[in-house]
Amino acid sequence: MLPITGAMFRRVGLLLLIIVATGCRAPLSSASAPSSTSDPGAPAFSAEAGLCIEQTNAYRARVGRGPLQRSPLLEEYATAAARTDGLAHIAHKYARQTNLGNGTSRAENIILWWSLRYYGSVQQIVKLGLADMWQQGDAGSHYRNIVGNYSEAGCGLFVNGDEVTVVQAFR
């Protein structure tokens, strides 16, 4: 059996993102996460949600797109989506159940159940997950969401033991 490398693990995560999301238009005080399931409304992830928006805007700037405003309403939706999808292990379950929050969001991207133990921090997962989405290029639905014609975004994060789920919502 071949050893699993970091690059292989990221590629498998990206492949899962592509498979489940094709066609979807829809501060921790330390580097570790709580040992139990996180509270979906916990302000502890405010810094990571802000980092998610900052990174997204940096990618948008590379192609001449304006920055997205951080939306508390979209952040609330994305946090609920991250919790639902993270617990169910079903990508975009919350989006489908609620019709993107009854129209709150127009599109979403998701980083699915990445290992906190492997990546070391929620911040690292946000950075690498967004980088993987960006690397899809203009042929990828995640990339198109990042550079899409939106004015607001919100990121929600959910930690369940070793698993981190991040949802980006756009409108």
Side-chain angles (χ1 to χ4, degrees):
M1 180 182 265
L2 295 173
I4 296 177
T5 66
M8 289 171 63
F9 193 84
R10 284 192 299 278
R11 284 188 179 96
V12 168
L14 177 58
L15 181 60
L16 285 173
L17 285 170
I18 293 167
I19 290 169
V20 298
T22 300
C24 290
R25 287 291 208 218
L28 289 177
S29 58
S30 69
S32 63
S35 59
S36 62
T37 302
S38 63
D39 175 358
F45 294 110
S46 180
E48 287 80 358
L51 173 66
C52 180
I53 300 299
E54 289 170 15
Q55 294 283 301
T56 300
N57 283 336
Y59 285 122
R60 288 173 61 87
R62 290 183 184 183
V63 293
R65 301 293 292 169
L68 300 170
Q69 295 299 312
R70 185 174 177 179
S71 165
L73 182 62
L74 285 172
E75 207 164 281
E76 183 179 328
Y77 162 81
T79 300
R83 178 180 174 82
T84 298
D85 296 0
L87 289 173
H89 274 220
I90 300 172
H92 305 289
K93 178 179 181 172
Y94 188 79
R96 288 185 194 104
Q97 284 179 333
T98 66
N99 191 27
L100 289 168
N102 296 314
T104 298
S105 179
R106 290 181 38 218
E108 75 173 23
N109 288 336
I110 185 168
I111 300 168
L112 304 165
W113 322 295
W114 283 30
S115 170
L116 187 57
R117 212 174 10 252
Y118 182 83
Y119 290 102
S121 72
V122 174
Q123 297 90 343
Q124 189 70 356
I125 289 170
V126 168
K127 289 177 184 177
L128 291 173
L130 292 177
D132 280 351
M133 291 178 197
W134 183 256
Q135 289 174 359
Q136 290 178 3
D138 58 5
S141 61
H142 300 102
Y143 176 95
R144 289 191 308 268
N145 284 343
I146 290 170
V147 301
N149 191 26
Y150 306 113
S151 60
E152 297 177 291
C155 295
L157 298 95
F158 181 72
V159 176
N160 186 21
D162 179 53
E163 298 176 338
V164 178
T165 300
V166 182
V167 171
Q168 282 183 304
F170 302 91
R171 70 171 179 186

